[in-house]
């Protein structure tokens, strides 16, 4: 699984330094406050730029929202893979991966998740990334089985279980049902997986 496949879609065209900075700033605003309530004019004022500058990033507010969501997941995926790359032990790698995912999602406010839920194009990006992350975990588990560190388990069931719980965590369903924050929920998921599959 490549980084592009994990984040979904094709790579971004080359950005100017200012455009890259704006995407990072938009990401921080959207994560903290959501995006549905903003107009392009609101965002231009917030970021001290013109609407024309924003239109250079995307042709409409909806397209801009999708681009920012993709940028967030592209950036998060790279950070997760970097934090996981140094782990050679299969069990520690699974734990490190899920905890890194939790860390990247920690800044995402409930408003951001609610707006994603109500915005089908953004939701599709989120669901694609969740499925890809679950596939990544499944591949790590397969590597652990091959290395004799994990017992034989059904990979499809593991993938479905991980995808379902990661989706529930992202939507806030797990927090509402258990009171656990996202980071703790991901750590518990890692623990459940490892206790269920370790020899």
């Amino acid at each position: 699984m490549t980084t592009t496949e994990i984040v979904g879609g094709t790579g971004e065209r080359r950005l100017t330094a200012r455009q890259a900075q704006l995407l990072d700033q938009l990401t921080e605003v959207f994560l903290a406050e959501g995006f549905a309530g903003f107009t392009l004019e609101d965002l231009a004022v917030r970021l001290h730029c013109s609407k024309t500058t924003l239109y250079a990033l995307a042709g409409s507010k909806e397209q801009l929202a999708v681009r920012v969501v993709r940028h967030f997941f592209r950036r998060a995926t790279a950070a997760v893979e970097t934090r996981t790359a140094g782990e050679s032990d299969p069990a520690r790698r699974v734990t490190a991966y899920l905890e890194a995912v939790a860390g990247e999602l920690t800044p995402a406010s409930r408003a951001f998740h609610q707006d994603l839920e109500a915005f089908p194009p953004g939701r599709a990006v989120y669901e694609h990334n969740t499925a890809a992350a679950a596939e990544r975990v499944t591949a790590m588990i397969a590597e652990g089985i091959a290395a004799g560190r994990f017992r034989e388990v059904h990979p499809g069931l593991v993938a479905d279980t991980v995808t379902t719980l990661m989706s529930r965590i992202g939507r806030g369903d797990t927090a509402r049902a258990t009171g656990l924050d996202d980071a703790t929920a991901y750590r518990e998921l890692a623990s459940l997986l490892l206790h269920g599959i370790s020899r």
Side-chain angles (χ1 to χ4, degrees), residues 33-86:
E33 303 176 40
F35 52 85
F38 288 108
T39 65
L40 284 178
E41 185 172 352
D42 293 334
L43 294 171
V45 170
R46 175 72 73 90
L47 301 179
H48 307 291
C49 68
S50 67
K51 286 199 293 184
T52 301
T53 301
L54 294 179
Y55 278 122
L57 287 173
S60 68
K61 176 193 166 184
E62 290 73 20
Q63 291 172 1
L64 183 64
V66 171
R67 182 157 199 185
V68 172
V69 170
R70 284 180 175 160
H71 178 71
F72 165 63
F73 280 110
R74 184 175 290 110
R75 190 177 69 178
T77 297
V80 168
E81 291 296 335
T82 297
R83 289 177 58 183
T84 308

Side-chain angles (χ1 to χ4, degrees), residues 26-38 43 109-116:
L26 284 165
T27 299
E28 302 313 313
V29 171
F30 285 12
L31 288 174
E33 303 176 40
F35 52 85
F38 288 108
L43 294 171
S109 65
R110 186 56 47 214
F112 176 76
H113 284 297
Q114 288 173 343
D115 287 349
L116 269 186

Side-chain angles (χ1 to χ4, degrees), residues 17-18 22 38-39 41-42 45 70 84 90-91 98 104-105 126 133 135 149 158 161 185-186 189 197:
R18 176 57 173 153
L22 283 173
F38 288 108
T39 65
E41 185 172 352
D42 293 334
V45 170
R70 284 180 175 160
T84 308
L98 290 172
E104 292 302 314
L105 289 176
Y126 179 85
E135 185 176 340
R149 290 283 282 110
V158 172
T161 300
Y186 272 102
L189 172 58
I197 64 180

